[in-house]
Amino acid sequence: MKEYTPKEIESKWQAHWAGTRLYATDEDSSKPKYYALEQFPYPSGDGLHMGHMRVYSIGDVIARFRRMNGYRVLHPMGADAFGLPAENAAINRGVNPGEWTLKNMDRFVKEQSMMGVSYDWDRYVATCLPEYYRFNQWLFLLFYERGLAYRKKAFVNWCPDCSTVLANEQVENGRCWRCDSEVTKKELEQWFLRITDYAERLLEGLDRLPKWPEKVKAMQRNWIGKSEGAHVSFSIPELEDERVTVFTTRPDTLYGVTYMVVAPEHPLVPRLIKGKENESVILEFIEQMKKQTEIERTSTDAEKVGYPTGAYAKHPLTGEMIPIWVANYVLMDYGTGAVMGVPAHDERDFQFAKKYDLPIKVVIQPEGEPLEEPLTEAYTEDGKLVNSGPFNGMNNREALSAIAEHLAETNQGGPTVNYRLRDWLISRQRYWGTPIPMIYCDACGTVPVPKEDLPVLLPEDVVFDGKRNPLTTSETFVQTTCPSCGREARRETDTMDTFFDSSWYFMRYTDSKNTEVPFDPEKVNNWLPVDEYIGGIEHAVLHLLYSRFFTKVLYDAGMIAVDEPFASLLTQGMVLKDGFKMSKSKGNVVSPLEIVEKYGADTARFFILFAAPPDRDLDWSDAGVEGSYRFLNRVWRLIAQNESLFGQKADTGRELTGDARELRRILHQTIKKVTHEIGERNHFNTAISAIMELVNALYAYPENADRSIFREALEKLVILLAPFVPHITEELWQMMGKQESVHKEAWPAFDPEALVQNEVEIAVQINGKVREKLVVPTSASRDEVEKQALQQDRIRMLIEGKTVRKVIVVPGKLVNIVAN
Ligand code: ANZ
Ligand code: ZN
């Protein structure tokens, strides 16, 4: 018998599949489409880790299953190839970011191929290549034309030593992650995408995604953060009735306002404090605030600090004069950057009022017992309005809209909706990204690069010193001529956030070689939406929200017919070792390649798919890997030992009885279960369990029982296993004498009739003479039939006092008891 030698088999079949282009995308339009997609990797210097292996194994089962079920399947792969590590390698080790990235990409492709994943490599996209990023620029211009890309001044994290903007994640305790100097806020002109224009549609679309995890939808809803409330406008008599507008979700508490607070960055602050007692203290406070991140400022345990400006605003309904404060807890970029303080009914305002001894005025009383004053905490429940002029006695829920409408009628505000979502800042002062295709001309202003001049290529003559944006060091890049007037002009040196690149790559796969446009609408509509998108939960908000935004914009531009890109989303769990996430720092990393080297890719895939449902965390277990390897060997032996069976002509069409009928029942039950578990639930682990039971049944099948069904069951077993372990099944299929690839086989259908457990009448003989009749299920085992026969009253009576020498069971026919 031939041995199972995974190493030899796997490289042989990988080469064969590549040579025969077995996984080229099927374009047969008579078939239903299926787009299976795994998030493309960032090609780091470390190659594949177990998390990658898990995602790709899951995606591959899905793609292979659909192909076998008669779908034309798109299953592509690429590389998310721009980003910081390449640039840091350039700064720290002087290597070229492009070369470094391409080398890593090669390594990823090699390692992905070693897993036996069924990608159509012809559609590979790498975001760092001009063939791709020119269309980032094309799309940026489309956003610009549609008024969705704009430049504005914004406060950003700034490291004075590195002279660059830092992402929030790159600020650690107020210091630069690289040089440890103190990070400041700097107001800079930056490019933004107007994602806030799409806030409502991004919310609404979530309701049409039943196949997304609730958790991810909740995270997106929370991030978009829709709040219904009102704008209330207060006038400031001492500033010639200049107005401060606040956003509140509780206009019903308007009569309870005892102070107002504006953010330190609020544009009115300098005028409010001018010449006042606290002017210098507040200016110092503002400087301090610039150093804090938003997270530090708003964390619940952060001390609330404020100063009275000395200025007053007029209450819009009572005309009372309300003191205006500046405080750390009010953020400039939420709502209007100003709030009204209602200490009686808001916990945060209550604490602030207590600390600074501000008045507390109750305007909502609960039903029944009135509140005991002075309050010991804010009353935040519902009730009836008091101290609220004409609104007294009104239920506060009704008062919400009554007061908001009254404000609208009197031109002092009115109902409004506020979103937490901010516009997307896409400018990066970095080299390894897509140049933003804009030109600045002294005469014409900001001029877009004409589409026919794309791509704006990344220059090579740059200096990487970690101190400034390398693009600014390239004279040939910066100096250009204005496309509109022909005079000398400067190029934009900011590059795009790499999330721009990944917001549409799944569209590019449908037409990856197009040199005119990002993709042909007909081609993208031929495949989108993605039917199953598999990736990590860490992208729940960022990538998945941006991709949805892009899809909606391109839908509005008439480039694509769907407005939601991912019909179904599968977020895979983590791979743990000894209960912890595998990580270099924990020193508990198991390398996928080591496992592939030792046991083969099929064992690694099998273990990963068997050990847990895909959305759960998976505990790595060496014993589990060993067990998976043993199981594949067991399957191998089952077929190798019966190889001769496949040389013979199949003998089919016979009526099956007894063990044969039972094997057929188990086979069809397995087909049914495996089809359901993969196709409807993505529960690959339970599908595999069912297959294991079938293997047990095949081992237990008597040697003298019907061979035709045994042979058929072995064939079906190999087909059912093919999506999980593509190499061993291909080899076994060939061993069975098949000419075509097992991966081109049709998925077996189950016969509902085969599942029925029929009953048969069996004759019970004693020494060859029929003494009794017995009805048993066709599935009953020999042992069971024997036991039942011996338990019959009449039989017991007849054999009493005799010794049973032998019991012969002919399944489905008779039991003969030899006794004397
Ligand atoms: C008065 C009030 C009374 C409020 C009350 C709440 C309860 P969400 O739900 O998150 O939208 N607020 C508004 N803008 C703010 C800013 N820039 N920085 C900090 N806080 C701000 O919260 C809206 C509420 O948060 C608003 O309603 C406002 O306080 C505060 F009994 O106004 B409220
Ligand atoms: Zn010009």
Side-chain angles (χ1 to χ4, degrees):
M1 191 191 76
K2 221 176 122 195
E3 285 291 310
Y4 173 40
T5 50
K7 244 183 132 167
E8 197 183 297
I9 289 172
E10 293 185 355
S11 53
K12 176 182 89 181
W13 286 114
Q14 283 159 15
H16 183 80
W17 295 333
T20 53
R21 299 186 70 246
L22 184 66
Y23 305 120
T25 308
D26 183 349
E27 300 277 7
D28 180 353
S29 59
S30 68
K31 296 180 180 175
K33 72 98 182 172
Y34 196 93
Y35 189 174
L37 184 63
E38 299 111 63
Q39 279 170 1
F40 64 168
Y42 174 75
S44 72
D46 303 328
L48 293 197
H49 57 60
M50 266 317 162
H52 291 121
M53 179 117 192
R54 189 169 188 199
V55 183
Y56 307 145
S57 300
I58 293 167
D60 199 42
V61 172
I62 294 173
R64 288 177 182 278
F65 176 78
R66 293 292 161 177
R67 275 191 213 103
M68 294 173 92
N69 277 275
Y71 290 80
R72 60 186 165 94
V73 171
L74 177 57
H75 189 216
M77 189 34 71
D80 188 10
F82 271 139
L84 267 183
E87 197 164 334
N88 288 342
I91 295 166
N92 300 331
R93 288 177 270 139
V95 296
N96 178 297
E99 278 172 26
W100 186 83
T101 306
L102 292 185
K103 200 180 87 211
N104 291 344
M105 270 162 46
D106 271 355
R107 175 166 171 195
F108 266 74
V109 169
K110 204 174 285 149
E111 296 184 8
Q112 286 170 317
S113 302
M114 282 176 73
M115 288 181 51
V117 187
S118 64
Y119 297 129
D120 178 355
W121 289 110
D122 278 353
R123 291 171 185 254
Y124 191 79
V125 304
T127 57
C128 67
L129 300 179
E131 299 92 278
Y132 186 86
Y133 73 69
R134 68 179 297 171
F135 293 113
N136 280 338
Q137 295 169 340
W138 193 102
L139 289 166
F140 178 89
L141 295 172
L142 177 94
F143 276 75
Y144 185 73
E145 283 159 23
R146 301 182 70 82
L148 295 170
Y150 67 95
R151 200 164 175 243
K152 78 160 185 209
K153 273 199 167 176
F155 280 101
V156 290
N157 301 313
W158 178 261
C159 172
D161 267 11
C162 301
S163 25
T164 184
V165 164
L166 299 174
N168 277 344
E169 299 76 33
Q170 295 162 341
V171 182
E172 290 162 359
N173 300 322
R175 294 181 172 274
C176 172
W177 64 316
R178 196 161 48 206
C179 74
D180 209 36
S181 52
E182 208 166 292
V183 173
T184 59
K185 287 274 160 86
K186 186 169 177 177
E187 215 175 12
L188 278 183
E189 291 265 4
Q190 303 279 289
W191 285 97
F192 290 82
L193 295 188
R194 218 181 281 283
I195 191 171
T196 53
D197 269 15
Y198 283 75
E200 194 57 44
R201 285 168 65 188
L202 286 166
L203 268 183
E204 176 276 326
L206 293 173
D207 300 334
R208 291 182 279 120
L209 296 172
K211 294 205 266 182
W212 275 44
E214 276 311 320
K215 189 177 165 196
V216 174
K217 288 191 278 189
M219 285 167 81
Q220 290 211 359
R221 285 193 186 103
N222 196 32
W223 186 262
I224 296 167
K226 180 178 181 174
S227 276
E228 292 183 70
H231 278 152
V232 187
S233 155
F234 293 72
S235 73
I236 309 170
E238 65 194 86
L239 295 183
E240 288 146 4
D241 280 346
E242 176 75 72
R243 287 177 170 271
V244 195
T245 300
V246 305
F247 169 70
T248 177
T249 45
R250 296 291 306 275
D252 54 324
T253 65
L254 183 51
Y255 283 82
V257 174
T258 58
Y259 67 96
M260 291 174 68
V261 186
V262 294
E265 305 87 347
H266 197 286
L268 274 180
V269 170
R271 290 171 65 200
L272 292 171
I273 62 176
K274 187 138 185 89
K276 301 265 169 50
E277 198 187 322
N278 277 336
E279 181 169 7
S280 60
V281 183
I282 293 179
L283 288 174
E284 167 64 21
F285 176 62
I286 293 171
E287 281 312 303
Q288 268 178 26
M289 287 302 105
K290 283 184 184 166
K291 289 178 195 156
Q292 276 189 12
T293 65
E294 186 174 308
I295 297 154
E296 287 165 343
R297 257 171 75 175
T298 50
S299 85
T300 38
D301 38 58
E303 175 77 4
K304 286 164 193 60
V305 182
Y307 296 93
T309 61
Y312 289 80
K314 201 168 136 192
H315 191 286
L317 303 184
T318 66
E320 260 176 293
M321 295 307 279
I322 311 279
I324 305 175
W325 286 59
V326 180
N328 59 350
Y329 72 86
V330 176
L331 300 172
M332 191 54 225
D333 51 5
Y334 185 65
T336 61
V339 306
M340 58 187 216
V342 186
H345 304 291
D346 180 78
E347 200 42 56
R348 194 176 52 182
D349 295 352
F350 184 83
Q351 284 169 23
F352 194 77
K354 278 279 172 208
K355 178 169 177 189
Y356 292 109
D357 207 17
L358 290 156
I360 297 171
K361 182 179 166 196
V362 172
V363 291
I364 294 173
Q365 284 286 7
E367 307 276 343
E369 284 283 294
L371 297 169
E372 204 171 300
E373 292 189 61
L375 298 183
T376 51
E377 57 176 355
Y379 177 69
T380 56
E381 310 285 299
D382 289 338
K384 286 224 172 348
L385 264 63
V386 295
N387 294 325
S388 297
F391 301 96
N392 278 342
M394 193 181 265
N395 173 321
N396 78 297
R397 298 262 168 161
E398 287 166 54
L400 277 173
S401 48
I403 294 182
E405 270 151 38
H406 177 72
L407 290 167
E409 281 157 22
T410 54
N411 255 331
Q412 304 186 90
T416 188
V417 176
N418 190 63
Y419 297 92
R420 192 167 295 281
L421 186 68
R422 319 267 162 79
D423 276 344
W424 173 13
L425 195 168
I426 59 155
S427 280
R428 296 290 179 272
Q429 291 70 40
R430 292 293 182 176
Y431 173 76
W432 197 232
T434 306
I436 293 177
M438 285 288 167
I439 289 169
Y440 303 108
C441 167
D442 286 339
C444 311
T446 305
V447 185
V449 174
K451 280 190 179 154
E452 55 275 19
D453 293 352
L454 298 182
V456 176
L457 287 172
L458 275 175
E460 301 264 345
D461 56 343
V462 292
V463 179
F464 293 104
D465 56 13
K467 293 205 181 336
R468 55 205 150 152
N469 178 355
L471 284 182
T472 60
T473 68
S474 167
E475 282 296 309
T476 56
F477 180 81
V478 176
Q479 286 187 3
T480 186
T481 50
C482 170
S484 130
C485 72
R487 269 181 278 225
E488 267 187 24
R490 285 163 297 113
R491 259 187 214 290
E492 171 62 84
T493 53
D494 285 353
T495 54
M496 298 179 196
D497 180 359
T498 57
F499 277 105
F500 194 107
D501 317 349
S502 52
S503 293
W504 67 282
Y505 77 105
F506 48 91
M507 303 181 192
R508 181 69 180 172
Y509 283 137
T510 68
D511 193 11
S512 62
K513 299 200 170 64
N514 200 321
T515 55
E516 302 298 314
V517 285
F519 49 81
D520 177 349
E522 207 175 300
K523 293 203 171 152
V524 87
N525 291 333
N526 191 21
W527 290 109
L528 260 75
V530 172
D531 293 278
E532 191 73 79
Y533 194 32
I534 307 131
I537 188 94
E538 66 274 16
H539 291 300
V541 170
L542 295 161
H543 163 60
L544 292 170
L545 189 69
Y546 296 149
S547 299
R548 295 182 57 227
F549 167 50
F550 264 53
T551 306
K552 288 176 195 299
V553 172
L554 298 179
Y555 171 85
D556 289 351
M559 289 173 65
I560 184 168
V562 295
D563 75 339
E564 284 292 342
F566 312 125
S568 180
L569 179 69
L570 201 170
T571 49
Q572 94 279 0
M574 286 189 297
V575 183
L576 310 176
K577 175 96 192 282
D578 310 324
F580 293 100
K581 186 181 175 169
M582 283 189 188
S583 74
K584 271 192 207 164
S585 58
K586 282 242 157 49
N588 63 350
V589 173
V590 180
S591 130
L593 285 201
E594 252 170 57
I595 302 297
V596 169
E597 182 69 21
K598 189 160 170 204
Y599 299 98
D602 281 342
T603 293
R605 293 170 58 124
F606 188 88
F607 167 71
I608 281 178
L609 294 162
F610 178 57
D615 54 344
R616 299 284 181 76
D617 288 349
L618 178 160
D619 265 312
W620 187 266
S621 136
D622 296 335
V625 178
E626 280 284 348
S628 301
Y629 184 63
R630 276 200 307 274
F631 175 76
L632 293 184
N633 271 289
R634 196 163 143 78
V635 172
W636 176 274
R637 282 196 308 273
L638 190 59
I639 286 149
Q641 280 163 357
N642 289 287
E643 202 177 341
S644 61
L645 205 60
F646 301 95
Q648 300 156 14
K649 219 169 146 273
D651 166 22
T652 51
R654 242 181 310 124
E655 164 112 43
L656 298 177
T657 52
D659 288 314
R661 198 184 170 98
E662 175 58 4
L663 180 62
R664 182 158 190 271
R665 191 188 64 80
I666 293 173
L667 171 64
H668 283 261
Q669 187 185 284
T670 308
I671 295 172
K672 183 181 177 195
K673 174 96 177 156
V674 173
T675 307
H676 178 76
E677 294 298 304
I678 304 179
E680 310 291 327
R681 306 182 64 211
N682 289 328
H683 276 193
F684 314 119
N685 56 327
T686 43
I688 288 176
S689 298
I691 295 175
M692 287 176 159
E693 281 172 36
L694 173 63
V695 170
N696 288 343
L698 284 163
Y699 266 98
Y701 191 69
E703 264 173 48
N704 56 0
D706 186 282
R707 293 287 93 185
S708 68
I709 183 64
F710 183 65
R711 172 181 171 161
E712 185 191 333
L714 289 177
E715 288 174 355
K716 298 276 162 67
L717 166 69
V718 171
I719 297 175
L720 293 178
L721 273 172
F724 303 97
V725 283
H727 310 89
I728 186 175
T729 48
E730 191 76 309
E731 182 73 18
L732 291 172
W733 197 244
Q734 192 188 45
M735 214 187 265
M736 288 173 159
K738 313 287 182 185
Q739 306 298 321
E740 271 285 8
S741 168
V742 70
H743 304 296
K744 288 182 133 181
E745 277 302 306
W747 191 255
F750 69 90
D751 175 2
E753 264 177 38
L755 303 181
V756 180
Q757 291 203 17
N758 282 337
E759 292 186 323
V760 279
E761 200 184 57
I762 283 188
V764 185
Q765 303 176 338
I766 296 177
N767 299 331
K769 256 199 174 153
V770 178
R771 298 293 190 178
E772 180 63 300
K773 297 255 158 115
L774 182 59
V775 176
V776 295
T778 26
S779 62
S781 69
R782 280 160 190 268
D783 283 353
E784 263 170 59
V785 174
E786 176 179 330
K787 206 167 118 206
Q788 277 204 39
L790 291 169
Q791 275 171 0
Q792 300 300 306
D793 288 344
R794 196 170 136 83
I795 300 297
R796 270 173 38 194
M797 206 178 72
L798 289 171
I799 58 176
E800 213 184 277
K802 295 186 178 161
T803 314
V804 174
R805 302 278 169 205
K806 202 170 169 190
V807 181
I808 302 155
V809 180
V810 182
K813 293 227 165 71
L814 59 85
V815 178
N816 187 17
I817 301 164
V818 183
N820 51 33

